[in-house]
Amino acid sequence: MHHCLWKYIIVAVSLIFLSFFLQKNKEERIEYRLSLEEEKKKILWQLDQERISSESKNHLKTFKEMQQNSPLLHHANYKFLAGAPPQEKKLLTVGISSARNPRGSYLLDTLQSLFQASSGPELDCVVVLVYLSDPDPEWLSQTAANISSLFKPHIEDQNLLMIHGCLSGSPFPRDLNSANHSLPCDARDSRQKVDYALLMNFAFNLSEYFLMLEDNVHCTPKFISTIYWALSAWKELPWVILEFSSLSFSGKVFHNSDLSRLTSFFLLFHKDTPIHLLLSEFRLLLAQNTPIRFSSSVFSYRDNYSVLVDTCFPVEKEEIFGEPDNPVASVLSDMMTLSNIIPQYAYTLNDECYSTFDPVRGNYLTVILERPQKVIRIEVLTGSDKQGLYRLHQGQIELGYELLENSKGCARYTLLGPLVEGNLDQRVFYEEDSVEELRCVRLVVLAPQESWLLIRQIKVWTEYKEEES
């Protein structure tokens, strides 16, 4: 009886304390209620970002733990057709895969264009690796003889190496026979993925980076220098693929350390997915969410490009950009300058420029767009036009979203890219299904320099929108 009475007393006292506690916090709850929805939005956003980040990290971890070399490549056998591997590791391997084409070969033209566009010092940084994939011994012998005759000095200098390879004893050579594919393009695509897998597998230890090329492209002069300076600027930044053209897969540069995963990827999906889509998936799996593409392509298809190839592998046409739009914007900067020089000069499309002196790390110049814009290309020029004096030695361009209430900048920025030799000219891409539009473009100084700095021009191109009637 006494035991039950004590239980009731304890429950009653607990209820009294609970009631007192709730009453004490009532005013606090009311006070927080007004900001609850806003705080909830922030928390949900943070949780969503953490979830996305966690999923991305899990995918990345799983993919990086993927077997470094496909078991199928254990069956790879190679034959040297001309040249020998370089004695020292190079900066870049230019990898070209070529197969016999009934409509004619463009390989010799491609090699001629490549070597004519490159100087001696540039070629010292690279090795050109040509993979001939057709098993016909007569074609292999004739093609190797033609290349050896035309490019003998480059072979002797160990700048050019020609190989043939096969997956002898592998379980799926029969799958690569066109008779097992319903469409000719399926056979060609499957064969091409295996060819590039064999090419990249051989190239793994030749250099730090790998440039993927087809056998029917034209190279612009000094393309090696263009790639060299871009690689130098991006060296300390995370990236998976740098794109130097809008072609489906020619002009793409990879880390050689990623080639083993990429070859496994090609062989794993050798029948299912076109090669250009696999490259996009590969980039996403390694956490590069949008393409990094430089606006000025250094590679293009030749004029007599095969209709068959064009049908099998849709070409992303080189976009023709007109004059920049530079939509209405205000420009702010914290850099020191003369009283009559205003930051707006950097954004005005004329000969005026914004000059400042002794910039330090963290200095910025921000273009704040009056309205949200779908920006598709940005070009930033620093230094004098001809001599390149007074350019920004270390800087980067960031894209801003969510305008701050005081209109002094944006709440969130993402990296577009570093300046390359004081300039930047890049396409702007957005994540799939993204509806975000830019509000800010920010130039950030990454290292101090004791000199004048000229920010000559910031150019912005936007996506054309038809006005609603």
Side-chain angles (χ1 to χ4, degrees):
M1 179 73 177
H2 289 293
H3 178 69
C4 292
L5 182 60
W6 273 110
K7 287 178 65 177
Y8 286 126
I9 292 173
I10 291 171
V11 170
V13 170
S14 298
L15 289 173
I16 291 171
F17 274 108
L18 179 60
S19 176
F20 176 77
F21 176 80
L22 293 174
Q23 182 65 30
K24 182 179 180 182
N25 288 277
K26 185 176 181 180
E27 291 184 1
E28 293 180 355
R29 293 201 311 275
I30 293 173
E31 183 179 344
Y32 286 127
R33 189 174 299 161
L34 295 175
S35 60
L36 183 61
E37 287 302 316
E38 188 65 27
E39 189 65 24
K40 183 179 178 181
K41 290 179 181 177
K42 292 180 181 179
I43 292 172
L44 288 174
W45 182 85
Q46 290 173 344
L47 290 174
D48 190 51
Q49 294 303 305
E50 290 173 1
R51 177 185 61 79
I52 293 172
S53 176
S54 176
E55 290 177 356
S56 177
K57 287 177 181 177
N58 288 336
H59 286 311
L60 182 60
K61 183 174 183 291
T62 301
F63 191 62
K64 285 193 171 181
E65 289 174 352
M66 192 176 186
Q67 189 169 10
Q68 287 291 299
N69 291 102
S70 170
L72 293 170
L73 289 172
H74 296 165
H75 302 278
N77 291 320
Y78 295 96
K79 177 183 179 182
F80 288 93
L81 301 177
Q87 298 295 320
E88 297 180 352
K89 197 170 187 177
K90 301 285 187 174
L91 174 74
L92 181 71
T93 297
V94 181
I96 303 173
S97 175
S98 184
R100 182 168 53 175
N101 190 331
R103 296 174 181 265
S105 173
Y106 312 105
L107 176 60
L108 296 180
D109 294 329
T110 297
L111 290 173
Q112 191 73 38
S113 171
L114 188 158
F115 288 116
Q116 286 181 349
S118 309
S119 65
E122 287 177 321
L123 290 174
D124 289 340
C125 299
V126 306
V127 56
V128 179
L129 176 63
V130 178
Y131 173 82
L132 300 181
S133 68
D134 197 289
D136 179 33
E138 184 177 346
W139 178 81
L140 287 174
S141 177
Q142 185 61 52
T143 304
N146 291 341
I147 291 175
S148 298
S149 174
L150 288 172
F151 304 103
K152 183 178 180 181
H154 298 296
I155 292 174
E156 292 176 345
D157 291 341
Q158 295 188 330
N159 291 327
L160 176 60
L161 173 62
M162 193 167 15
I163 61 170
H164 171 66
C166 62
L167 291 173
S168 60
S170 74
F172 69 46
R174 289 178 302 170
D175 293 344
L176 302 178
N177 190 315
S178 60
N180 291 296
H181 294 274
S182 58
L183 297 172
C185 289
D186 292 341
R188 189 179 182 87
D189 182 66
S190 184
R191 175 74 262 176
Q192 195 168 46
K193 277 181 279 192
V194 174
D195 290 345
Y196 275 106
L198 286 164
L199 170 64
M200 292 176 175
N201 181 62
F202 186 90
F204 182 76
N205 290 315
L206 295 181
S207 59
E208 293 181 57
Y209 304 100
F210 180 90
L211 168 63
M212 189 176 189
L213 283 188
E214 297 164 90
D215 63 355
N216 51 359
V217 298
H218 174 77
C219 307
T220 62
K222 299 183 178 180
F223 77 92
I224 293 176
S225 291
T226 299
I227 294 174
Y228 172 85
W229 289 113
L231 289 172
S232 298
W234 281 88
K235 189 173 181 63
E236 303 300 326
L237 296 169
W239 59 272
V240 180
I241 304 175
L242 297 181
E243 303 182 15
F244 292 87
S245 82
S246 60
L247 305 182
S248 296
F249 41 93
S250 282
K252 290 179 169 52
V253 174
F254 309 84
H255 294 275
N256 271 40
S257 56
D258 286 334
L259 291 184
S260 57
R261 297 186 185 94
L262 184 53
T263 57
S264 297
F265 207 47
F266 281 165
L267 295 179
L268 185 62
F269 298 101
H270 76 280
K271 292 190 298 182
D272 304 315
T273 309
I275 193 168
H276 64 283
L277 296 181
L278 277 183
L279 291 175
S280 295
E281 292 298 325
F282 182 77
R283 168 177 57 76
L284 290 170
L285 281 168
L286 291 182
Q288 181 187 315
N289 294 328
T290 57
I292 301 170
R293 182 180 301 168
F294 304 97
S295 297
S296 299
S297 294
V298 295
F299 304 104
S300 59
Y301 283 129
R302 307 194 67 81
D303 293 337
N304 53 353
Y305 179 56
S306 168
V307 175
L308 175 62
V309 177
D310 191 38
T311 302
C312 289
F313 307 110
V315 180
E316 184 176 337
K317 301 296 183 183
E318 187 73 31
E319 185 165 356
I320 305 299
F321 292 95
E323 293 299 315
D325 305 305
N326 280 34
V328 178
S330 57
V331 185
L332 302 176
S333 178
D334 66 343
M335 290 184 257
M336 295 186 296
T337 188
L338 301 177
S339 59
N340 61 336
I341 304 295
I342 60 174
Q344 197 75 30
Y345 288 169
Y347 189 66
T348 305
L349 295 174
N350 56 26
D351 293 333
E352 292 179 313
C353 64
Y354 179 63
S355 56
T356 180
F357 51 90
D358 296 345
V360 298
R361 177 180 172 84
N363 276 161
Y364 64 87
L365 183 141
T366 305
V367 176
I368 304 167
L369 302 172
E370 186 177 86
R371 298 173 56 188
Q373 299 285 343
K374 192 78 169 182
V375 175
I376 57 175
R377 176 186 174 187
I378 293 175
E379 183 177 13
V380 176
L381 305 173
T382 73
S384 59
D385 191 5
K386 295 181 179 179
Q387 292 82 12
L389 300 174
Y390 312 124
R391 69 188 182 195
L392 182 56
H393 300 307
Q394 294 186 51
Q396 66 186 29
I397 300 300
E398 300 172 346
L399 308 177
Y401 305 87
E402 301 170 20
L403 190 65
L404 294 171
E405 291 183 4
N406 58 10
S407 298
K408 299 296 184 183
C410 286
R412 180 169 58 88
Y413 289 90
T414 61
L415 175 69
L416 176 62
L419 299 189
V420 179
E421 293 190 286
N423 302 317
L424 175 141
D425 190 359
Q426 276 186 226
R427 293 288 306 276
V428 178
F429 294 94
Y430 301 86
E431 293 186 32
E432 190 174 355
D433 300 325
S434 172
V435 295
E436 285 190 310
E437 294 181 309
L438 289 189
R439 295 306 306 266
C440 300
V441 177
R442 184 167 70 179
L443 168 64
V444 180
V445 177
L446 298 179
Q449 60 185 67
E450 297 180 357
S451 68
W452 281 91
L453 165 64
L454 299 181
I455 304 175
R456 198 162 77 248
Q457 206 160 69
I458 296 174
K459 302 177 182 179
V460 174
W461 286 260
T462 59
E463 188 175 71
Y464 174 76
K465 293 182 180 180
E466 293 185 2
E467 295 185 4
E468 297 181 3
S469 55

